[in-house]
């Protein structure tokens, strides 16, 4: 099955700086790559996603890039704010809704 | 629209017992997935159901089982509980079913503690 690796496991940045989280996947047939944010005591929530026919997608301060050849994708958060502090998960999914997640990155934004 | 509802939210069991967790998906969603979340292990995929059929399965022992009812509600069962089964069990529903992938909508989870 699909295997997703995520780095780093923890990330600490100053407010206003950028944060980058990277993931690799193993199954070249995966075609959907979402990113989820999990706040304390809550379930993960989708923040951005990208499909295999697109190389980059941006939504305000958040962007995701995908390199299908290298089988890796990244999350970029610019102008970080304290409320961005949370655990972020990347995931890769096959066409049949079999979605596998990375181990997560705990992001801390220091004011 | 109501979100994904999981019950119970918290439960404590002892080794050897069994447990059943329940998940009510968002109305109209026919796909339900279950994940186990533990510190350092992220979200481990258990199984996915669509139209009462298990469509995908992760690498968990047979002690972990599930089912889906005709109204799309789902249950998962863990028999002969072990200490290592202590975790947050998350259920997620999706509007995508017959083919293709889409957003998962997660519940807040059922936190299981095995003593």
């Amino acid at each position: 099955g699909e295997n997703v690796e995520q780095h780093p496991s923890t990330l600490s940045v100053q407010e206003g700086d950028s944060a980058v989280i990277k993931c690799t996947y193993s199954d070249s047939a995966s075609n959907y790559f979402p990113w989820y944010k999990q706040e304390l005591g809550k379930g993960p929530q989708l923040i951005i996603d990208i499909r295999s026919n697109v190389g980059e997608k941006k939504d305000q301060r958040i962007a995701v890039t995908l390199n299908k050849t290298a089988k890796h994708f990244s999350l970029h958060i610019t102008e970080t704010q304290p409320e961005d502090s949370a655990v972020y998960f990347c995931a890769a999914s096959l066409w049949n809704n079999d979605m596998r997640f990375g181990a997560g990155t705990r992001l801390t934004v220091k004011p | 629209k109501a979100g994904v509802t999981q019950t119970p939210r918290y439960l404590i069991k002892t080794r050897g017992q069994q447990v059943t967790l329940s998940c009510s998906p968002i109305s109209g969603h026919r796909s339900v997935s279950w994940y186990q979340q533990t510190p350092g292990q992220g979200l481990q995929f258990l199984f996915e159901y669509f139209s009462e059929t298990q469509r995908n399965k992760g690498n968990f022992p047979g002690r972990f089982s599930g089912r889906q009812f005709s109204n799309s509600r789902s249950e998962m069962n863990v028999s002969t509980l072990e200490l290592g089964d202590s975790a947050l069990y998350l259920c997620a529903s999706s509007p995508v079913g017959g083919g293709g992938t889409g957003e998962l909508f997660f519940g807040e989870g059922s936190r299981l503690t095995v003593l």
Side-chain angles (χ1 to χ4, degrees):
Chain A
E2 174 65 274
N3 182 50
V4 180
E5 294 191 357
Q6 182 172 347
H7 301 279
S9 57
T10 61
L11 179 60
S12 182
V13 300
Q14 287 294 135
E15 182 178 358
D17 287 350
S18 295
V20 180
I21 303 171
K22 298 182 179 181
C23 290
T24 60
Y25 61 99
S26 61
D27 195 330
S28 56
S30 290
N31 62 0
Y32 176 64
F33 306 91
W35 287 87
Y36 285 79
K37 176 183 181 182
Q38 186 176 28
E39 297 176 332
L40 199 61
K42 298 184 178 180
Q45 190 168 18
L46 179 75
I47 56 171
I48 194 168
D49 57 12
I50 191 169
R51 296 193 182 270
S52 58
N53 57 348
V54 177
E56 184 174 359
K57 184 176 178 180
K58 191 174 181 180
D59 183 4
Q60 298 183 356
R61 297 185 297 108
I62 295 174
V64 58
T65 59
L66 171 65
N67 183 326
K68 286 217 72 178
T69 303
K71 289 191 282 189
H72 66 69
F73 55 115
S74 301
L75 176 72
H76 304 253
I77 305 174
T78 59
E79 301 173 17
T80 53
Q81 302 167 3
E83 50 265 39
D84 293 330
S85 296
V87 179
Y88 291 81
F89 293 97
C90 63
S93 180
L94 297 168
W95 65 272
N96 62 352
N97 226 29
D98 183 345
M99 192 175 298
R100 307 297 173 110
F101 286 78
T105 296
R106 182 173 297 281
L107 173 64
T108 302
V109 180
K110 299 178 181 178
Chain B
K1 214 176 199 183
V4 176
T5 304
Q6 292 189 245
T7 57
R9 289 292 314 280
Y10 303 91
L11 65 166
I12 299 174
K13 293 286 187 177
T14 57
R15 280 182 300 174
Q17 287 187 312
Q18 74 164 10
V19 66
T20 298
L21 308 177
S22 179
C23 172
S24 293
I26 292 172
S27 178
H29 288 192
R30 294 166 63 191
S31 170
V32 173
S33 301
W34 288 89
Y35 291 85
Q36 181 194 66
Q37 183 174 22
T38 55
Q41 292 295 315
L43 296 161
Q44 299 291 309
F45 176 71
L46 282 155
F47 25 67
E48 186 244 355
Y49 286 87
F50 175 71
S51 291
E52 302 179 64
T53 300
Q54 186 182 89
R55 193 164 55 169
N56 299 297
K57 190 177 188 304
N59 298 322
F60 277 81
R63 300 186 297 108
F64 292 81
S65 63
R67 58 178 176 169
Q68 186 180 33
F69 302 96
S70 59
N71 61 358
S72 293
R73 190 177 70 84
S74 177
E75 289 182 348
M76 68 163 283
N77 183 277
V78 188
S79 62
T80 319
L81 284 166
E82 300 177 359
L83 295 178
D85 297 333
S86 294
L88 180 67
Y89 290 88
L90 290 163
C91 166
S93 71
S94 172
V96 179
T101 57
E103 179 178 359
L104 295 181
F105 293 81
F106 284 88
E108 295 192 325
S110 293
R111 183 164 296 281
L112 170 66
T113 301
V114 182
L115 301 177

